[in-house]
Amino acid sequence: MTRKLEFWFEFGSTYSYLTAMRIADVAEAHGVPVTWRPFLLGPVFGAQGWNTSPFNIYKAKGEYMWRDMARRAERYGLPFRRLPESGPGAFPQNGLAAARMALVGIDEGWGEAFTRAVYAAEFAEGLDIADTNLLMRLTEKAGAQGDVLARAQAQANKDRLKANVDESFRLGIFGAPSFIVDGDLYWGDDRLEDALEAAGK
Amino acid sequence: MTRKLEFWFEFGSTYSYLTAMRIADVAEAHGVPVTWRPFLLGPVFGAQGWNTSPFNIYKAKGEYMWRDMARRAERYGLPFRRLPESGPGAFPQNGLAAARMALVGIDEGWGEAFTRAVYAAEFAEGLDIADTNLLMRLTEKAGAQGDVLARAQAQANKDRLKANVDESFRLGIFGAPSFIVDGDLYWGDDRLEDALEAAGK
């Protein structure tokens, strides 16, 4: 019996970019349905006493991450650029507005295309995804209609994102991307295939 | 032209166990020669302000590590047990004595067998590898002769291990296992195949 896989992603996360761009194809090949779950890592990091990404706090680990990401992106045939350490578009970018829109889009059927477009803008083009004008253009391209911003900023939608963050804590999630299969946690783009295998069993 | 791969390992590291048990076969299949480099993560963690493994400091990450290790060990057909949080044999174990002996053994030709035996004692049997009597038995089984302890504790050998730790900092190493190919760093058992591919190119 095939089970579903939950894909938990944060828009500021480099490794989530790799998964967002490839999960639709890989999951289809495994015959596993995927639920896309946007959330925020800020509260998770905050609970560990960090006010930014651990890749910024721990320099050697951060340097390695950019090198590893470049190699992985090349392996997958994805364009990739290192984000600056400060100034506009600095890493980690603020994914709050994008996550709220993605929640709306996932309900309305344009969420996956929008999510891929946001990640490409961020990590292939180096644009700042906290820019609402950019995000609005990407929602339109993905097929959204009407006043997306109003729906994204409605209190009920903000609360849904908060609920996702609360649920991520309950699930033991501490980084992104993360995958949940039958309550079991898999962490990192390099565990996607393991998680899909488990879902297909 | 095939280049050599350096395998940097710490005896207290769970994921280093996975690599130590499989690297000889996988590297041979790739036709890549491997240099075994024991080192210590304590000074690396200390430089980041940690007095124990980050898996103990960050609880969610630690819980996940044990779950992930159990799954990975099963995938590789390796026995594995979770170490206790306190008391004899608690995680992370002190790998100093084992690392000094491994340095001697690598020179004398019994280092790889000894390293595998130490990891098996630790993570398959749950024994405490800070126990010198246990380590001496494992050196004998691995084929060591004469007074290994004296050679391991000689000042020159202690200094060599310190030099390895210094070199690990220069190489940007921040965790274990790590692999170096032509100065380029790969981190984690799940990057072994990537590193071997790079070495074989």
Side-chain angles (χ1 to χ4, degrees), chain B residues 55-69:
Chain B
F55 292 125
N56 286 346
I57 297 170
Y58 304 110
K59 293 295 176 192
K61 196 164 187 167
E63 277 305 312
Y64 173 76
M65 180 275 285
W66 292 109
R67 178 78 188 98
D68 186 54
M69 271 297 302

Side-chain angles (χ1 to χ4, degrees), chain B residues 59-116:
Chain B
K59 293 295 176 192
K61 196 164 187 167
E63 277 305 312
Y64 173 76
M65 180 275 285
W66 292 109
R67 178 78 188 98
D68 186 54
M69 271 297 302
R71 287 191 304 230
R72 285 268 136 177
E74 191 186 349
R75 172 177 289 258
Y76 295 139
L78 293 170
F80 178 71
R81 66 169 73 189
R82 180 173 180 161
L83 299 184
E85 285 170 40
S86 58
F91 175 84
Q93 294 195 11
N94 186 336
L96 175 62
R100 286 178 177 159
M101 290 185 192
L103 263 187
V104 173
I106 287 161
D107 276 356
E108 298 180 358
W110 50 266
E112 295 183 27
F114 170 73
T115 297
R116 281 187 290 265

Side-chain angles (χ1 to χ4, degrees), chain A residues 15 48 50 58-62 64-65 67-68 71-72 75 172-174 184-188 190-191 193-194 197, chain B residues 15 48 50 58-62 64-65 67-68 71-72 75 172-174 184-188 190-191 193-194 197:
Chain A
Y15 289 103
Q48 300 180 336
W50 301 330
Y58 305 109
K59 293 295 177 192
K61 195 163 188 169
Y64 173 76
M65 180 275 285
R67 179 78 188 98
D68 186 54
R71 287 191 304 231
R72 285 268 136 178
R75 172 176 289 259
I173 289 175
F174 57 90
D184 211 12
L185 173 62
Y186 296 78
W187 170 54
D190 44 23
R191 290 293 185 275
E193 278 74 9
D194 289 10
E197 260 181 49
Chain B
Y15 288 103
Q48 300 179 336
W50 301 330
Y58 304 110
K59 293 295 176 192
K61 196 164 187 167
Y64 173 76
M65 180 275 285
R67 178 78 188 98
D68 186 54
R71 287 191 304 230
R72 285 268 136 177
R75 172 177 289 258
I173 290 175
F174 57 90
D184 212 13
L185 172 64
Y186 295 79
W187 170 55
D190 44 23
R191 290 294 184 276
E193 279 74 10
D194 289 9
E197 261 180 49

Side-chain angles (χ1 to χ4, degrees), chain B residues 117-130:
Chain B
V118 172
Y119 276 116
E122 182 178 16
F123 292 114
E125 299 180 63
L127 301 176
D128 185 352
I129 62 159

Side-chain angles (χ1 to χ4, degrees), chain A residues 53-64:
Chain A
S53 164
F55 292 126
N56 287 346
I57 296 170
Y58 305 109
K59 293 295 177 192
K61 195 163 188 169
E63 277 305 313
Y64 173 76

